[in-house]
Amino acid sequence: MSARILRFRECGRVSYEHGLDLQRRAHDEVRGGSAPILLSLEHEPVYTLGRRDAPDRFKERDESIPIFKTDRGGEITFHGPGQAVVYLILPLDAWRLTLPNLVEAIEQAIIDVAASFGLLAERKEGWRGVFVGAQKLASIGLAVHRDVTMHGLALNVDNDLAPFHKIHPCGLPIEMCSLATLGVAGPDRAAIGRQLGERLAALLRAQLEIEAEPEA
């Protein structure tokens, strides 16, 4: 099989609304026949609600942080500066992928990136995402529209974890951690986003090429 192209686009820090607009435009591109895209970015502070939203999602409401309802899977989470968010705009059928296959690849990419910093990260049976010990390092939430995925992963790099203390992250009785709180000195969000993209590319296709695009 010939190598396929997976484009990588670094988008910097954007509001959640702008990030969603970037996804929609990328989705239209891919639906129109363009190569799939990974969007790497960080968000301004925001709580997002998934399709499995629960009424007891907040332990304490922080009125300073907006809430945004989304169509991704999962429950409530927080996004903020210093968190590596990677959105995957991929055609499942064309790449012979199922959602479980894709989630497994995303989790493995996160586990491999954590290992590059000497951290033992792992899956937990029945829970989506990646954990270090009892703490959650990264969350995953996806949606599929007309066979093309949207949304993706959020890996805590050196973001403020305090907003997580006011919710039940992903609806789970857990605490969140970050690369920084686990002892990784001076992690760079953009570099880690790129590392995640490259690892995902390798996992999704053994002979996959990844092309960088100018910043949006």
Side-chain angles (χ1 to χ4, degrees):
M1 180 181 296
S2 62
R4 297 190 182 189
I5 301 298
L6 177 62
R7 292 180 290 161
F8 182 90
R9 188 176 294 170
E10 170 58 53
C11 303
R13 184 184 299 183
V14 301
S15 68
Y16 192 80
E17 291 88 340
H18 183 47
L20 187 58
D21 184 59
L22 290 172
Q23 288 191 74
R24 287 168 174 159
R25 282 188 268 164
H27 188 275
D28 288 344
E29 289 179 32
V30 173
R31 283 280 302 159
S34 296
I37 307 175
L38 301 183
L39 303 175
S40 176
L41 51 85
E42 61 186 339
H43 282 305
E44 300 294 348
V46 63
Y47 288 117
T48 66
L49 311 178
R51 293 192 302 271
R52 292 192 293 115
D53 181 36
D56 59 347
R57 55 187 178 262
F58 282 101
K59 300 176 187 175
E60 175 187 348
R61 177 71 178 98
D62 186 339
E63 299 293 342
S64 70
I65 300 177
I67 302 174
F68 201 97
K69 177 68 175 176
T70 79
D71 62 350
R72 63 162 172 78
E75 298 188 25
I76 189 169
T77 195
F78 170 76
H79 296 306
Q83 185 184 62
V85 175
V86 179
Y87 291 133
L88 296 87
I89 316 300
L90 299 169
L92 293 177
D93 285 350
W95 281 40
R96 301 177 185 173
L97 288 169
T98 64
L99 271 180
N101 294 151
L102 182 56
V103 170
E104 183 177 356
I106 294 169
E107 289 175 339
Q108 190 61 52
I110 297 165
I111 289 168
D112 292 346
V113 169
S116 74
F117 294 103
L119 300 173
L120 178 61
E122 59 188 353
R123 302 174 178 88
K124 284 192 180 294
E125 186 175 355
W127 290 0
R128 182 174 291 182
V130 172
F131 299 77
V132 176
Q135 296 182 312
K136 192 170 189 181
L137 178 63
S139 301
I140 299 169
L142 296 167
V144 182
H145 300 288
R146 297 184 178 181
D147 190 54
V148 175
T149 63
M150 292 179 63
H151 304 286
L153 70 94
L155 169 63
N156 296 325
V157 178
D158 63 352
N159 48 304
D160 181 11
L161 299 179
F164 284 111
H165 300 160
K166 299 181 180 183
I167 63 173
H168 297 283
C170 307
L172 300 173
I174 55 171
E175 291 187 6
M176 304 295 288
C177 62
S178 68
L179 294 179
T181 62
L182 293 171
V184 177
D188 179 82
R189 192 282 308 167
I192 289 170
R194 177 75 190 195
Q195 190 178 356
L196 284 165
E198 290 172 346
R199 189 64 194 132
L200 267 169
L203 290 166
L204 290 172
R205 282 289 181 268
Q207 298 298 319
L208 198 61
E209 297 175 9
I210 183 164
E211 290 186 343
E213 294 194 347
E215 293 187 5

